Amino acid sequence: MMQSMDVAVRCRGLRKTYEGNIEAVRGLDLEIYAGECFGLLGPNGAGKTTTIEILEGLLEPTSGEIEILGHHWHTNNREVRELMGISLQETRLAEKLTVYETLELFASFYRRPRPIAEVMAQLALTEKSDAWVGKLSGGQKQRLAVATALVANPKILFLDEPTTGLDPQSRRQLWDVIRQFQKQGGTVLLTTHYMDEAERLCDRLAIIDHGLTIAGGTPSEMIEGLGAHHRVEFDATGIVAGELEPWRALPGVGAIHEEDGRVVLSVREPHETIPALLAAIQNRHGHLLHLTTRQASLEDVFVHLTGRHLRED
Amino acid sequence: MNNQFEEDREDRNARVEGPRSDEHGSGSQVSNLDSPASAVRPIIGSRDRPIPQSPAHPITRPPGLPITGRWRSYQLLLLARLKEMYREPEVIFWVFIFPILLALGLGIAFRNKPADIIRVALVDGPGAAHAMELLRPASAAGTVKAVLLPAPEAFNQFRLGKYDLVVTPQAGGFEYLYDPARPESVLARSTTDDALQAAAGRKNSVPTSGRISSEPGARYIDFLIPGLLGMNLMNSGMWGIGFALVDLRQRKLLKRFVASPMRRSDFLLALASSRLVLMLLELALLLGFGAMAFHMHVAGSWISILTISTLGALCFGGVGLLTASRAQKIETVSGLINLVMMPMWILSGVFFSYERFPAILQPLIKALPLTALNDALRAAILEGAPLTHQSGRLLILGLWGIVCYLLALRWFRWT
Ligand SMILES: Nc1ncnc2c1ncn2[C@@H]1O[C@H](COP(=O)(O)OP(=O)(O)O)[C@@H](O)[C@H]1O
Ligand SMILES: [Mg+2]
């Protein structure tokens, strides 16, 4: 893994300051290995689009070094572009062209494109072949955007928020397409602000906030890094709102906080904590109203690191 | 098969996905739903069919140019541009129908017709009957039509434009009320005066005669059609290049294109070519319409008319490119385009001759690209002037085009 052959994308000290002194990216280091699906996870405005567009050679970085499959921007741009499939965050493709015409056009830009029929079939667009792009649903449009990337027959796929705004079903369809591409040896870099997407789809990821990497690694590493990676959430009678101290003494409890009137315990082993919790409530002559346990998620990692939620909306 | 039904089935399939590690196992998924058709199937897509050999219906390449090799992207870009245009009814209207309607409307409104009968209000009173008597020959010849009216009504109707002249009989003569700013009023005064004087016995001291000339080539419609052609080339160049580019930029499609290995020169060439294809249609349509509807006579050679039009289309393509070089929003570029075009609609002699503007403005007006284009088109179409006699105008067009194009290359942003 450490040989340079295996690194598909590398960037060092990436910075981007927009006009008006907006520091969108403030020194980012990334190494994306060939064959993996790498995710940039972060809230809106974190600098994900800026980063991915710099890597795609569409934006000039203020400073920093970039290497893509051993190539550098400026030296052999056309060659690099032959290797990349790109879907931008927001592209409104020509509305009055059909799906087939759109893909045929994009295929013509590449030396070794994939057969259009094959790509349409893979993205479930075959039946829409002769439909105008303007008449497609949101999910179909997004699949077409990914199809224009796949028709390039790329080695690396860059996807900027490919599933934002899609219904759950369309999201899953796209996840499947991405996995299929990866299984055939492709490398994927995607950005997302959905933590479940990052968790389920990405082999490794970088959580970015305010233009900086605040955590990196595999999703499970990061969640385990929290230490107590289970959450026990409960509500009971006979407990005083805001009074969290009594629960700290329970076995295996890490952090405690209150959310929506419920007490949330971060615990290492639920099977040790829960019996003790029930006993403690009984001691206070209380009555359990609600109890759930769940695995910690990347959302919890983000909350732990920043004190904020990924999606504030 | 009903599409909604298909989507529903996809939905149910999606919900039975296993955890991640399972999904990585194989290229197909086993659904445990009871749907009989949902046995082993590809990950997504044509559900009852294997991928990719047999899509729902055979995919046929739409008829078109045989597309292969180095120029494939260029040809497809050009085709895409043209398809987008002809699939947009508004474009068809503004580019093709509107100029024809304009020519038709203006051609009919300002068609050459026999001079109007002069409408005279004769103020009732002493001497009015005598005046009516004197005007009888002119009235019989159909040049003057006099109506007897009471004074207030005569003056009022004159003010409203119903009469061109008011004649008030006075002791031993007549008083004319006319408006020197209204050509027909001035004409009415002199014609009526001639008629009265002649009837009263005036003799001409010098014999004069006249010949009639009313040939195609000197009519308003002949003046108008080349002007409309020039204006159309300007409009569609500015909108077809300037607006189209900013639209593509705002939709992030320009960015999407340059994210691929597409040659930017192919893209720009396709854009310019689409303008030239459209130019040929506009030219054929307007001149054909002029010839058919108004028996317009095209004096110049097709080569020179084509050369001038091409130069004009490319020149305004360059201006369009410049206006589009930075704008991020279509509202911005629309404003810019109108700002550039508005003065030329008025100054460059589209609907009326620019000779009417003060002399001090003339050099400026003549330096405008649309003036050069209109003058060159008129000279070629109406007078058959050879290109060699038009080098000045062609130079102006070329310079505007080149300067705008070079500036646009410096400033143009793809993203
Ligand atoms: N063209 C631009 N000019 C100025 N500021 C920008 C521009 N594009 C993005 N920004 C700012 O840079 C920051 C990062 O934006 P972006 O990379 O789009 O974030 P993300 O994709 O993570 O939502 C934001 O604060 C955004 O407002
Ligand atoms: Mg973004």
Side-chain angles (χ1 to χ4, degrees), chain B residues 108-121:
Chain B
I108 290 173
F110 296 98
R111 72 187 178 280
N112 287 40
K113 53 191 178 198
D116 283 329
I117 293 179
I118 286 159
R119 303 158 303 174
V120 175

Side-chain angles (χ1 to χ4, degrees), chain B residues 26-75:
Chain B
S26 68
S28 60
Q29 268 181 276
V30 178
S31 161
N32 54 9
L33 279 187
D34 49 2
S35 158
S38 61
V40 177
R41 57 185 47 186
I43 281 193
I44 80 166
S46 41
R47 282 151 298 275
D48 302 328
R49 297 173 288 272
I51 306 179
Q53 295 84 346
S54 65
H57 49 93
I59 293 154
T60 47
R61 190 188 294 285
L65 305 169
I67 297 166
T68 47
R70 158 70 182 88
W71 294 100
R72 186 179 155 81
S73 312
Y74 160 77
Q75 287 170 338

Side-chain angles (χ1 to χ4, degrees), chain A residues 60-73:
Chain A
E60 194 69 28
T62 307
S63 63
E65 276 175 47
I66 299 153
E67 197 184 309
I68 292 175
L69 296 172
H71 296 282
H72 294 270
W73 287 116

Side-chain angles (χ1 to χ4, degrees), chain B residues 225-245:
Chain B
I225 293 260
L228 282 181
L229 188 57
M231 184 180 82
N232 206 21
L233 290 175
M234 171 172 84
N235 285 1
S236 47
M238 299 286 287
W239 291 108
I241 303 252
F243 185 85
L245 274 173

Side-chain angles (χ1 to χ4, degrees), chain A residues 44-45 48-50 89 160-161 191:
Chain A
N44 280 328
K48 304 183 296 294
T49 298
T50 305
Q89 184 170 355
D160 196 358
E161 307 222 2
T191 74

Side-chain angles (χ1 to χ4, degrees), chain A residues 19 37 49 53 56 58-59 78 81-82 84-88 90-98 100-101 104-111 116-130 132 137 140 143 145 148-149 168-169 172-177 179-180 182-183 199-203, chain B residues 1 3 6-11 14-15 17-20 23-29 42-47 49-52 54-62 67 72-74 76-81 83-84 87-89 247-248 250-253 255-264 413 415:
Chain A
E19 285 156 32
C37 176
T49 298
E53 288 193 353
E56 289 163 352
L58 296 174
L59 269 180
R78 256 182 78 84
R81 297 205 180 285
E82 287 281 351
M84 302 192 319
I86 286 178
S87 159
L88 300 173
E90 277 171 26
T91 304
R92 284 177 293 140
L93 294 163
E95 309 234 312
K96 296 283 161 83
L97 294 183
T98 67
Y100 184 86
E101 287 162 349
E104 189 185 31
L105 178 63
F106 275 94
S108 77
F109 300 151
Y110 296 87
R111 260 185 245 130
I116 293 162
E118 185 185 304
V119 175
M120 284 199 300
Q122 193 190 358
L123 285 146
L125 287 169
T126 307
E127 279 150 52
K128 293 285 165 189
S129 171
D130 296 328
W132 286 4
S137 72
Q140 288 163 341
R143 295 210 296 269
T148 63
Q169 172 211 345
R172 280 155 200 274
Q173 285 185 332
L174 270 182
W175 292 355
D176 286 334
V177 171
R179 284 175 196 147
Q180 211 174 42
Q182 199 190 350
K183 210 176 322 151
E199 214 168 306
R200 298 192 51 179
L201 197 55
C202 298
D203 300 310
Chain B
M1 190 187 291
N3 197 45
E6 292 266 316
E7 299 271 4
D8 287 343
R9 289 218 344 237
E10 276 173 25
D11 195 17
R15 281 201 209 104
E17 268 184 6
R20 164 119 211 245
E23 288 158 19
H24 255 251
S26 68
S28 60
Q29 268 181 276
I43 281 193
I44 80 166
S46 41
R47 282 151 298 275
R49 297 173 288 272
I51 306 179
S54 65
H57 49 93
I59 293 154
T60 47
R61 190 188 294 285
I67 297 166
R72 186 179 155 81
S73 312
Y74 160 77
L76 283 173
L77 282 163
L78 174 57
L79 271 179
R81 208 53 228 123
K83 280 177 192 162
E84 271 188 277
R87 287 173 188 176
E88 188 79 70
D247 186 47
L248 287 174
Q250 187 178 351
R251 304 159 68 106
K252 303 264 163 58
L253 250 178
K255 197 186 232 180
R256 181 63 190 86
F257 281 147
V258 296
S260 78
M262 178 194 78
R263 288 185 185 82
R264 297 175 186 199
R413 279 208 185 138
T415 51

Side-chain angles (χ1 to χ4, degrees), chain B residues 189-259:
Chain B
R189 177 181 182 268
S190 77
T191 309
T192 310
D193 190 47
D194 282 347
L196 287 171
Q197 301 287 4
R202 181 178 75 182
K203 289 275 169 293
N204 291 333
S205 37
V206 179
T208 55
S209 69
R211 279 197 301 137
I212 288 168
S213 164
S214 172
E215 288 158 30
R219 303 163 307 170
Y220 179 63
I221 189 74
D222 301 309
F223 176 86
L224 183 66
I225 293 260
L228 282 181
L229 188 57
M231 184 180 82
N232 206 21
L233 290 175
M234 171 172 84
N235 285 1
S236 47
M238 299 286 287
W239 291 108
I241 303 252
F243 185 85
L245 274 173
V246 177
D247 186 47
L248 287 174
R249 184 185 289 131
Q250 187 178 351
R251 304 159 68 106
K252 303 264 163 58
L253 250 178
L254 269 189
K255 197 186 232 180
R256 181 63 190 86
F257 281 147
V258 296

